[in-house]
Amino acid sequence: MERTIIKDASEKIGQNIRIKGWVKNRRDHGKLIFMDVRDRSGVVQVVIIPDKEEAYEMAKQARSEFVVDIEGLAKSRPGGAANEKISTGSVEIEAGKFSIISATKDDLPVDVSVDEMNLNLETLLNYRSLTVRNDKINAIFKIYARLIQSYGDFLRSKDFLEIKSPKILSSATEGGANFFKIKYFDRDAFLAQSPQFYKQAGVGLFERVFEIGTVFRAEPHYTTRHVNEYVSLDAEMGFIESFEDIMAQMEKAMAYIFKFIGDTCQDELEKYGASVPEIKTIPRIKLTEALAILEKEFGKKVEKVDIDPEGERLICQWAKEKYGSDLIFLTHYPASVRPFYTMPSKDPQYTESFDLLFRGVEIATGGQRIHDFNQLENSIKKHGLNPKDFKHYLDIFRHGMPPHGGWGLGSERIVQKILGLASIKEAVLFPRDVKRLTP
Ligand code: AMO
């Protein structure tokens, strides 16, 4: 008999159906055995009665997380339809045949059948191949997948071409100290910190490009917002009038993504009591203004050049109170804290760049780039770097480049902030941090 996916069982009441999945839990009531069985689409209750002798003997051996194959009659579940909150829904299957496809090898280290596992982060991550089976943890990655899907869908609809750039590079893209050096045959190479140079090359080739790709950061920190390998959602577009065009495009992208997640992930969001913001406009203020607000409104002593994590949290709180917005753009970062490729403002102390903050955390950086060869070469020198080391990057600008810019958006931070997860690592299936290279 063909397999029925559990969510379709409700359309087959009165029929014999076959389901396959994992035993979520087993409850014995007198002579009856009840099991919740889970597949990719949902959970259904199965009842096994002693009269069906063979099935009953097999079911007696089954334990949580065994993989099973069950045939039986799909019946309307008393009270189930009336109470949609019953997690296993309105159907019950009365088993006629029961077989075990795969048993668990050892006792389970954690119980994944409960609504709230309340595990510490280490345990949650150490047993990833089991803990993600929990419905609430599983939901994180369904939302993550919708984020990736909607990001691509939006940019394709705006005529951006999807590209994939190399992650093994001959030099560190963004400079700084947070790059991983690797052995590449008989020489050294670096893992890409961002697709920055390649997406700019993409503008010269295709005008508008985007990339969804893994990047690597050798940040030796233990924070709730850094991992050493993350997926960056990048975009880059040509023929802009100013960096306002980029923020406008980004605003539309965020509005689309949040709406899509809201529309498609209601069940998943509910498990966290979470909601997505509804975006109309995202307020934009200069970084210098933000720093002044922090000083005036929160009495926060600030550095004159940049904003720290506490400042980001407070300025988001301010944006929420003043504009009712969960997001805010901070613009015109000082040239001293931006990479050499950033377009300077009329006042060259500042740049045509921005950060996007969401619920207290920076989720994106972007801006206009220098597109003139000579200006770029000078900027490289001004930053104390050697243009010879950037030969291939500079080549991009030899053959005609339009004014352009784009952004890099941290995918995991978005999901972390949508769901209110304590650590970004909860939003990564198999995260990498300073200590963690496994599982
Ligand atoms: P930046 O270095 O600010 O900019 O990175 C962009 C965004 O990537 C995310 N991010 C991280 N997420 C998790 N762990 C990390 N260690 C980590 N580091 C960064 C953040 C951040 O806002 N090339 C520029 C982008 C551009 O201008 O287009 C860049 O990479 O959400």
Side-chain angles (χ1 to χ4, degrees), residues 401-415:
M401 269 296 267
H404 67 280
W407 66 74
L409 177 63
S411 61
E412 298 84 356
R413 285 189 189 176
I414 300 176
V415 173

Side-chain angles (χ1 to χ4, degrees), residues 171-179 193 197 217 339-341 385 390:
S171 62
T173 319
E174 308 257 346
N178 63 350
F179 51 79
Q193 298 153 294
F197 295 175
R217 302 276 173 117
F340 66 84
Y341 54 74
L385 301 164
F390 295 90

Side-chain angles (χ1 to χ4, degrees), residues 174 193-194 196 199 217 219 225-227 230 234 236 341 362-367 369 406-410 413 424:
E174 308 257 346
Q193 298 153 294
S194 99
Q196 185 63 37
K199 63 179 178 167
R217 302 276 173 117
E219 330 245 14
R225 51 152 126 206
H226 289 94
V227 277
Y230 71 94
D234 281 87
E236 201 71 15
Y341 54 74
E362 171 205 321
I363 55 163
T365 294
R369 331 295 186 183
W407 66 74
L409 177 63
R413 285 189 189 176
I424 187 172

